[in-house]
Every structure is written in C-alpha cells, then in structure tokens.
Amino acid sequence: MKYIKLTTAQALVRFLDNQYVSFDGHEEKFIEGVFTIFGHGNVLGIGQALEENPGDLKVHQGRNEQGMALAAVAFAKQKNRKKIYACTTSVGPGAANMVTAAGTATANNIPVLLLPGDTFATRQPDPVLQQVEQTYNLSVTTNDAFRAVTKYWDRVTRPEQLMSAMINAMRVLTDIGNTGAVCVAMPQDVQGEVFDFPESFLAKRVHVIDRRIGTPTEFKNAAELIKRKKKPVIICGGGVRYSEAGEELKKFAKDFNIPIGETQAGKSSIENDFELNMGGIGVTGNLAANTIAAKADLVIGIGTRFTDFTSGSKALFQNENVEFLTINASDFHAEKMDAVKIVGDAKVCLEELNKQLSKDGYKSAYSSEPERAKADWQSELSRLRGIKFTKTGFKAEVPDQIEESLNEIFELYGGALTQTEVLGVINDFLKKDYVVVGSSGSLPGDLQRVWETNEKYSYHMEYGYSCMGYEINGALGVKMADPSKEVYAMVGDGSYLMLHSELVTSIQENKKINVLLFDNCGFGCINNLQMGNGMGSFETEFRNRESKKLIPIDYAKAASGYGVKTYSVRTLEELRNALEDAKKQEISTLIDIKVLPKTMTNGYESWWHVGVAGVSEKDSIKKAFEEKEDGLKKARKY
C-alpha cells in the first residue's frame, strides 16, 4: 500500500474532490464545491488546503453561515439529491449558525455536508476564543448541538480518524432512504496535523445509488389491497421527484383511473394539466384534492412522509373503511399510517405494481368525480385571482380580518394589492424556464393551492422545516444548480427580515435571482393562526410600540444599496412592468410588492391540529379549544 504525507485538512479536500455517484448508469462528481466563511477555527486548516489545491471543487464565500448552508440544501434538492455542496465554518457562532440549516436538510431528507471547525483536541489553549466550556463534560463543544439535527455526526480528534469518518459520511449522504445533514467536526489543531494517508483512501470512489425494488410479498400484498378498493387516491410526495418517476406515476394513475394529490415536495413532478392531477392536498391543499381524499377508501402514499399538513393532522381521510399503502425508499416512512408497504424506489416499484395490477384488469370505480372536482376548483381559482380590494365593504378571504389594518396599509403605501391577484399575475407571466422557491409564511399555502405549472421541477418548496430565511438563500442554491432558469424567491416581509444574506453572494457570484417580496407589514400567517383561534392580534403586526402605527419599510430602497435592481409595486400594471423588466436584467432583482393582510387563501375542507389553551378567560379561546377537541375526535390516533 502506498501512502502520501498530508495534513488532515488536505486529505479531506482531496477525498471530497474524488467522490462520484452513479445513478441509472450515469456517473458524475458528487461534491460540487465548498461554501466557506473563514474564522480562526478553519481558515488555516481547511482554508489552507482549499487555497493550495482545491482540485475541481468550487469555493464560494458566504455571508451568513445559515444562509450559505441553506443555499447548499437548495442546491442538492434541485439536483434531486445527486450532487451536493459542503460547508465549512469556524467553531462557535459560525458553527451554531448552521444548526438551523442542518435541521432543514434533515427534516426534508436532503444531503448536505457540514464541516465546522472545533476547539483544540489537545485542549492546550482552553478556553480558546469562542469556546463554550461545560463543567460537567469538557469534551462538549458547540458542535454537539448538531447531534439532534443530523443523520450522521462525528468528530475527528486524530488524523487517522478522518478515513472512517468520511467513508461513513458518504454512506449516509448517498443513502436515499436515510439521508440528510451530515456533520463532521474538525478540531482546528487536528486540521493542520500531518499523517501518512493511504492513496487508496484518496482515490476515486464511485457510490452507486441503486433503484431498490420491493419484495415479491410486498407487491402481492399491495396488489391484493388495491383490488379490494373502489375509490383510491394517490399522494405524490418528494420521493416521486427524487426518483424522477413522474411519467411512471402518470401512467399508473391513468391505467387504473386513480386521482392524484400533490405534497409540497412532490409538486411539479407531474404537469398541473394532467387530467388526474387534482393539485395540492392537505391543510394547504385545494378543494379538488381534499374532496377526493375525504371519500377515498385507499390512500396510496408514494414518497411521502405523511406530515400533518399532508394528512390534515390525520383527519383528512374520513372514509370509515380507508386503508393505506406506501411506496417509500425509507423503511421508517413506509411504516407510517399503519400501512401495507413497499420499500423501494418509486419509479421501479410503480412499474412493477402496474404490471401486477394490469394482469387482473383493475380499474377504480370513479366515473366523472375527478373531472368535476377539478372543474369546480378551476372555477374557485378564477374567483381567487379576480379578488380586488375596495375601501368599504371588503370581505377578506381569511374571516378574522382587521378592517382598519387593511385600510391603514392601503393608505400607508398609497395603494396595495390582494395576495391572490398578485400570484395570478405572476403565474400567468411565468410559463417556462423558471423555478419558484418558497418556504414559510402564508405563501407556501397559497402556492400549493393556486400555483399551476407544466414545467418539470419548477416548484421548489421547503416545507418540511418551513424555515424562515430559506427563500432567498435557497434561490441562490437553485440558480447554482440550474443557471439556465430564471429563479424567483417568493418571500414575505417577515422572512425577508429574518435572513437574506446570500442576496449579496448572488451578486458576487454573478448568479442572478429574482426576489418577489410580499410586504403585508407583519407575520401574517401567524396572525391568522392566533386570531383564528380566539386570540387578538398580538405581536405579529409590525407596529411602533408607542404610536401603535404600522412601520413603513422601503425594501426596494434598502436592497438597492446592495447593487440589486429594484422595483416598487402597488398596482397590477406596475407588477407586470416590473416582471417584464426584471427578466431582462443580468443582476439580481427585487420587486417590493405591497399586499394586504388576510387576502391569502383560506382552508379548503381541511383541519390542522395546533395547541390551544384549555383554560382561558376569553370565550373566543374556549370556543377554539372546543373546536380543536371536536376535530381531534375525527382524526386517527396514530
């Protein structure tokens, strides 16, 4: 065996540069590059290795550790988990900032490699700058916080540990059934230590991502279950997208006449105009999908985790004879809802299940129900897009409106639009070669319901963690993954203020993104939640403490200071003109759209279980608690 003398950090960089994946016979580099914010805990170790010999790894300078890591998460998601970025930080605040991004990746089963610096393995200078000292355990550092939000965690305290640590890291990063964030903590002294590394460790390594197929018994049980059912419904989850199984799903649905509802992660895997695609399902779903789901006697979940938003907190499916079938690459997720399961890749499992059902000539008992449901929703969608604000007699979509707030915002900005009419105009404008990115607030619910697209993988929503601040930073990651597309970050003012750091990085890297900022002067989604459950408006509107007046913010003016091309919008004509001009720009753009609160979409035949106070002096909260208890009676217990 041959050896090469390198520092631990140099060996790490060479290892990362030589990792490949093979999927469906196509081989490509797995790690595109490294996002960095250098500090004393990584600049002279990993930083030195990247500066001296990065190989083919691209190195990007981030602005905020959470922001750059969210960009890495979005990059991997848009690449359907077949290519990733690594992220390196110093120990202390820099590392802690990435914890939220790690949770975002793990909740969504998206691979990202985090390489935070750490305190000294020798402990000689303890406490080093930024070190948190725990008197009960001196081995604990900031990086232990990653244990709760990663799929694999390790700390390299000796150079020779790097080999087993990184091989295990790659095992998890390429495991489609159990992937997520991976954290390998790197003490800063160990990064610079020298060791004779085997050349075999540094050689090209190809990780084969197989399309695993279920067992014969699983297919037999699944086919027998389906044949007993008359009104099945399919839930198209993220696993359909990552498996690239959209065409197989459409064929399966059409062959057996089974309607489909989409999750946030699954949306845009198949075309919106496919006749059996009912659209978004669940708490933020539309009337068509939820009407079908409520009566279904079989729910076929494909690549879905059955989150509370997808299942309506397990209350959406009201047929007393309903049963569940899952197709999932993860044993864990396949077991949910007490389902009959097929553990495997969505594409090949759909193909095999199709063969088995075709032998028996199975067809569902649906006649015109899916067609009628879809037509009814189209009529409702037209109504939503046509909603206009009037100063008197206006009834907002969300019934718990604050009429004075609507008028106040309208007067504050000299005009404002309803959220649904704005989305309609944007949707009509974007037809091809685009991606919309979102994550938090009211926009994900509106987009899952009203956004229509026939552009594959053009809908990029992070709704497993619903991480505020993902939108703009994620848009950068999407643009890096697919530079040919116009990328639009759909973001509320609350989330924009939370984190938009990589907007600056987009300018530095010449990666144009478009920010569509919906300003309704507050955390509108949570204001809806509190008011809809008996509370008043409490610390969710952006008001001055003394005057109680809303705080006007000129986001366009602020962003222009970064070098972004900006627009201020208060009318539909201004919006259309801004969209047209923004598309012509070569630098990142921001369209500051003033919208009215309570003008987003509201629930459609769905229920969401949230914690409501069981004791209160307010009759409105007592009523909300009773309604919650009534809803819980209709929900499955597990």
Side-chain angles (χ1 to χ4, degrees):
M1 184 178 291
K2 295 183 178 180
Y3 299 87
I4 182 169
K5 188 181 296 294
L6 297 168
T7 69
T8 306
Q10 291 164 358
L12 169 66
V13 169
R14 291 203 189 190
F15 177 87
L16 297 180
D17 190 41
N18 246 342
Q19 303 307 300
Y20 291 74
V21 295
S22 175
F23 182 71
D24 284 350
H26 174 67
E27 182 181 295
E28 61 180 338
K29 284 180 71 71
F30 183 54
I31 301 174
E32 182 81 357
V34 183
F35 272 105
T36 72
I37 292 181
F38 288 129
H40 68 278
N42 67 336
V43 66
L44 300 179
I46 294 175
Q48 186 277 333
L50 287 170
E51 190 267 344
E52 183 173 281
N53 186 13
D56 292 324
L57 295 173
K58 300 173 183 176
V59 182
H60 305 283
Q61 180 189 73
R63 291 300 177 280
N64 174 280
E65 292 87 357
Q66 179 183 331
M68 71 180 191
L70 289 176
V73 174
F75 175 90
K77 180 179 175 71
Q78 195 64 23
K79 286 291 188 180
N80 287 344
R81 309 190 299 188
K82 308 304 187 301
K83 190 181 282 287
I84 71 167
Y85 264 87
C87 300
T88 176
T89 69
S90 184
V91 71
N97 279 347
M98 287 202 301
V99 172
T100 301
T104 303
T106 297
N108 290 278
N109 298 120
I110 304 296
V112 64
L113 176 59
L114 307 177
L115 300 166
D118 212 325
T119 57
F120 277 69
T122 63
R123 303 186 187 175
Q124 182 276 324
D126 286 10
V128 69
L129 181 64
Q130 299 183 334
Q131 181 173 344
V132 175
E133 291 183 282
Q134 291 290 0
T135 56
Y136 71 92
N137 187 337
L138 294 180
S139 71
V140 171
T141 74
T142 297
N143 290 330
D144 287 88
F146 286 97
R147 291 176 186 261
V149 289
T150 55
K151 288 288 188 175
Y152 178 78
W153 184 96
D154 207 342
R155 176 180 281 125
V156 176
T157 59
R158 292 176 59 88
E160 53 266 47
Q161 292 176 351
L162 180 72
M163 294 175 282
S164 62
M166 294 313 302
I167 289 171
N168 275 292
M170 292 302 301
R171 170 182 58 81
V172 174
L173 290 166
T174 59
D175 181 352
I176 61 172
N178 195 40
T179 193
V182 166
C183 174
V184 180
M186 303 288 296
Q188 60 173 292
D189 52 342
V190 177
Q191 290 178 43
E193 288 185 19
V194 175
F195 184 74
D196 290 329
F197 287 92
E199 287 188 351
S200 59
F201 169 67
L202 306 170
K204 178 179 178 180
R205 185 176 271 102
V206 180
H207 306 269
V208 178
I209 299 178
D210 285 321
R211 292 189 179 273
R212 297 179 182 176
I213 194 164
T215 68
T217 300
E218 288 176 336
F219 283 108
K220 177 176 177 292
N221 292 340
E224 288 177 353
L225 174 59
I226 293 173
K227 286 184 289 185
R228 288 195 286 107
K229 299 297 183 176
K230 298 182 181 297
K231 297 290 182 73
V233 65
I234 293 169
I235 297 179
C236 169
V240 175
R241 172 176 181 154
Y242 305 137
S243 174
E244 301 171 14
E247 295 305 310
E248 288 71 23
L249 175 58
K250 287 195 301 180
K251 184 178 188 307
F252 184 89
K254 194 161 188 175
D255 285 351
F256 308 116
N257 191 36
I258 304 176
I260 300 168
E262 302 170 305
T263 70
Q264 293 280 19
K267 192 174 175 74
S268 79
S269 297
I270 58 176
E271 299 89 344
N272 186 84
D273 64 7
F274 175 59
E275 61 266 34
L276 288 166
N277 184 3
M278 301 292 103
I281 194 168
V283 176
T284 50
N286 67 31
L287 188 62
N290 286 350
T291 299
I292 293 290
K295 299 176 181 178
D297 58 5
L298 175 64
V299 179
I300 305 173
I302 306 175
T304 177
R305 298 186 298 124
F306 281 110
T307 66
D308 59 344
F309 265 67
T310 296
S311 70
S313 296
K314 300 185 175 72
L316 180 61
F317 315 110
Q318 285 296 305
N319 188 313
E320 64 180 1
N321 296 313
V322 68
E323 294 183 73
F324 294 82
L325 168 65
T326 58
I327 299 175
N328 205 297
S330 163
D331 270 298
F332 177 78
H333 297 309
E335 292 277 1
K336 291 179 176 177
M337 306 298 281
D338 212 11
V340 171
K341 65 177 182 178
I342 300 175
V343 180
D345 173 82
K347 182 175 183 177
V348 293
C349 288
L350 279 169
E351 290 172 336
E352 179 60 28
L353 188 56
N354 192 313
K355 291 176 186 176
Q356 299 209 19
L357 286 177
S358 296
K359 294 175 185 177
D360 300 310
Y362 174 80
K363 286 280 185 181
S364 77
Y366 290 109
S367 54
S368 60
E369 297 99 318
E371 183 181 358
R372 289 202 311 270
K374 192 160 186 172
D376 288 346
W377 173 247
Q378 286 299 314
S379 176
E380 170 66 359
L381 184 56
S382 296
R383 183 191 71 81
L384 290 169
R385 290 185 170 192
I387 294 173
K388 306 287 184 185
F389 176 70
T390 56
K391 289 188 178 181
T392 59
F394 179 75
K395 294 297 180 184
E397 284 301 289
V398 180
D400 305 290
Q401 73 179 83
I402 315 171
E403 190 169 346
E404 59 270 23
S405 291
L406 274 70
N407 288 321
E408 186 181 355
I409 288 178
F410 194 87
E411 296 297 332
L412 183 69
Y413 289 124
L417 298 163
T418 69
Q419 189 155 299
T420 53
E421 68 178 333
V422 167
L423 287 172
V425 168
I426 297 170
N427 203 170
D428 288 341
F429 178 79
L430 300 181
K431 294 300 181 185
K432 63 178 182 177
D433 298 328
Y434 75 91
V435 180
V436 294
V437 180
S439 178
S440 62
S442 63
L443 283 169
D446 280 1
L447 289 165
Q448 191 183 8
R449 289 188 182 112
V450 309
W451 193 263
E452 296 184 309
T453 182
N454 293 320
E455 182 91 345
K456 186 153 286 191
Y457 310 141
S458 62
Y459 184 90
H460 180 116
M461 199 64 47
E462 185 286 294
Y463 212 57
Y465 217 47
S466 188
C467 179
M468 295 184 75
Y470 179 90
E471 298 90 343
I472 293 171
N473 305 287
L476 172 63
V478 171
K479 185 67 174 181
M480 294 171 71
D482 195 345
S484 68
K485 300 291 176 65
E486 283 287 314
V487 181
Y488 295 83
M490 300 282 204
V491 61
D493 52 328
S495 192
Y496 180 84
L497 290 171
M498 192 79 71
L499 182 68
H500 60 267
S501 57
E502 305 319 304
L503 182 57
V504 175
T505 307
S506 75
I507 296 171
Q508 179 183 28
E509 296 287 345
N510 297 314
K511 299 296 183 187
K512 177 200 173 187
I513 61 173
N514 304 281
V515 179
L516 302 178
L517 196 161
F518 290 65
D519 176 17
N520 61 12
C521 292
F523 298 121
C525 177
I526 300 304
N527 182 272
N528 292 345
L529 182 63
Q530 66 182 185
M531 295 191 70
N533 284 278
M535 289 181 63
S537 178
F538 180 66
E539 297 297 337
T540 49
E541 295 178 281
F542 296 166
R543 295 185 176 276
N544 180 275
R545 179 167 297 279
E546 294 181 359
S547 71
K548 306 302 180 186
K549 292 182 179 180
L550 291 170
I551 302 171
I553 300 177
D554 189 337
Y555 293 100
K557 185 176 182 180
S560 67
Y562 294 146
V564 175
K565 173 68 174 175
T566 62
Y567 311 82
S568 295
V569 165
R570 291 160 180 77
T571 68
L572 292 183
E573 182 180 5
E574 289 176 344
L575 175 60
R576 293 187 181 98
N577 291 339
L579 289 168
E580 288 282 0
D581 192 69
K583 193 170 183 179
K584 300 172 185 175
Q585 302 300 318
E586 294 184 357
I587 61 170
S588 292
T589 71
L590 182 144
I591 304 178
D592 182 359
I593 310 167
K594 304 306 182 184
V595 296
L596 296 162
K598 311 299 179 183
T599 62
M600 58 284 288
T601 60
N602 203 11
Y604 288 93
E605 305 296 328
S606 63
W607 176 75
W608 188 32
H609 186 187
V610 292
V612 180
V615 176
S616 174
E617 295 177 358
K618 287 188 173 182
D619 289 339
S620 56
I621 290 182
K622 292 176 183 177
K623 181 183 176 183
F625 180 78
E626 291 172 0
E627 291 174 349
K628 185 266 291 185
E629 291 294 292
D630 288 341
L632 194 56
K633 292 174 185 176
K634 301 174 184 177
R636 292 169 59 92
K637 303 306 177 190
Y638 67 97

